[in-house]
């Protein structure tokens, strides 16, 4: 790829990966996928499950499907304690080693709220606790609230979702880092492939499918 092509792909990937789309809550990423596909295909449909289907018509009866899932793993608030700490469960598979100390964004009814995943401080841990991977049930999200009522005034409730507070940025060379690359990279490749076909006549009809809850 040329530098111009790399830059174009980076912008597509950043747009998708920075979007929120925890499994079951894919509204934001779905809208951004629709926005991109509408420029590139003849028809865009959303089925009853929330999958987005872009159809680029070809000259023959042949059909080709390009598919990638657009949802991402996340967290869900399961309990707000009297001190205002948010206890949570996973949406999708996480390694508990990665969670302590991570900054997160909790999406409440009044908009995003920033927080950090906390745990018992080291000087209060037993020797056994210091050696173990801290289970999720012992972690919590600190949003700076001092009570359950204060957290609720910020729009947080049981069932609110959260994602890592992380945006796509460049590393050395052509490498990048960010969240939700599984499988926003696939969605970005799908859209980029359609851009390459944009001004060409094609033989098969192409179905570009961005799926949910893989």
């Amino acid at each position: 790829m040329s530098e111009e092509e790399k830059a174009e792909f980076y912008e597509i990937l950043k747009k998708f990966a920075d979007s929120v789309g925890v499994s079951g809550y894919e509204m934001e990423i779905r809208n951004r996928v629709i926005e991109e596909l509408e420029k590139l295909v003849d028809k865009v449909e959303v089925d009853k499950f929330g999958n987005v289907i872009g159809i680029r018509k070809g000259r023959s009866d042949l059909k080709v499907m390009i598919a990638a899932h657009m949802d991402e793993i996340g967290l869900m608030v399961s309990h707000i304690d009297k001190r205002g700490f948010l206890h949570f469960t996973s949406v999708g598979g996480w390694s508990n080693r990665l969670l302590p100390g991570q900054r997160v964004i909790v999406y409440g009814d009044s908009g995003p709220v920033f927080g950090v995943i906390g745990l018992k401080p080291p000087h209060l841990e037993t020797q056994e606790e210091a050696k173990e991977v801290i289970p999720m049930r012992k972690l919590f999200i600190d949003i700076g609230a001092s009570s359950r009522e204060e957290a609720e005034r910020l729009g947080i409730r049981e069932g609110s979702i959260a994602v890592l507070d992380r945006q796509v940025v460049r590393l050395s060379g052509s490498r990048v880092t960010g969240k939700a690359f599984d499988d926003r990279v696939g969605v970005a490749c799908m859209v980029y492939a359609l851009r390459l076909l944009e001004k060409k006549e094609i033989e098969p009809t192409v179905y570009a499918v961005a799926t949910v809850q893989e």
Side-chain angles (χ1 to χ4, degrees):
M1 296 174 74
S2 68
E3 291 304 313
E4 183 178 347
E5 290 169 332
K6 289 178 182 178
E8 182 182 0
F9 183 78
Y10 173 80
E11 291 306 318
I12 300 171
L13 176 59
K14 182 169 176 60
K15 179 176 184 177
F16 290 158
D18 286 353
S19 301
V20 177
V22 175
S23 299
Y25 301 84
E26 299 94 352
M27 294 75 72
E28 181 176 305
I29 181 60
R30 181 185 295 115
N31 289 338
R32 293 194 174 177
V33 171
I34 291 171
E35 180 183 22
E36 288 298 318
L37 288 181
E38 284 178 337
K39 307 170 190 174
L40 301 167
V41 299
D42 299 297
K43 184 180 181 182
V44 176
E45 300 175 349
V46 179
D47 69 15
K48 64 181 180 180
F49 301 107
N51 303 305
V52 179
I53 306 164
I55 305 170
R56 168 76 194 278
K57 295 177 181 177
R59 295 180 297 185
S60 73
D61 293 332
L62 295 172
K63 297 177 182 179
V64 172
M65 181 176 73
I66 310 171
H69 73 87
M70 59 183 168
D71 58 314
E72 65 180 298
I73 62 174
L75 306 170
M76 179 182 289
V77 176
S78 57
H79 172 65
I80 307 171
D81 69 27
K82 63 182 181 181
R83 299 169 296 174
F85 293 143
L86 314 181
H87 301 267
F88 59 88
T89 188
S90 64
V91 181
W94 284 94
S95 169
N96 287 352
R97 293 180 177 88
L98 300 176
L99 291 174
Q102 294 277 7
R103 292 197 319 190
V104 297
I105 306 174
V106 186
Y107 288 86
D109 295 336
S110 303
V113 176
F114 293 92
V116 63
I117 296 177
L119 70 165
K120 184 191 292 187
H123 63 277
L124 296 180
E125 291 179 336
T126 65
Q127 288 186 343
E128 290 73 22
E129 287 175 328
K131 296 175 184 177
E132 70 176 358
V133 175
I134 307 300
M136 193 173 290
R137 60 185 170 79
K138 292 186 177 180
L139 302 175
F140 55 85
I141 299 172
D142 184 350
I143 57 171
S146 58
S147 66
R148 178 185 174 95
E149 292 72 25
E150 185 177 349
E152 290 175 337
R153 285 197 296 272
L154 292 170
I156 306 299
R157 56 181 172 78
E158 280 86 359
S160 294
I161 61 161
V163 297
L164 296 186
D165 180 12
R166 186 169 300 160
Q167 289 73 47
V168 174
V169 295
R170 293 182 183 275
L171 300 177
S172 177
S174 59
R175 294 175 177 82
V176 297
T177 182
K179 70 170 184 64
F181 280 6
D182 178 9
D183 187 28
R184 303 286 168 76
V185 171
V187 180
C189 288
M190 181 178 73
V191 168
Y192 188 75
L194 288 170
R195 286 192 184 186
L196 295 177
L197 297 174
E198 187 175 7
K199 299 184 191 269
K200 301 183 181 196
E201 288 190 17
I202 56 174
E203 194 70 22
T205 293
V206 176
Y207 291 79
V209 184
T211 66
V212 299
Q213 298 180 342
E214 188 195 56

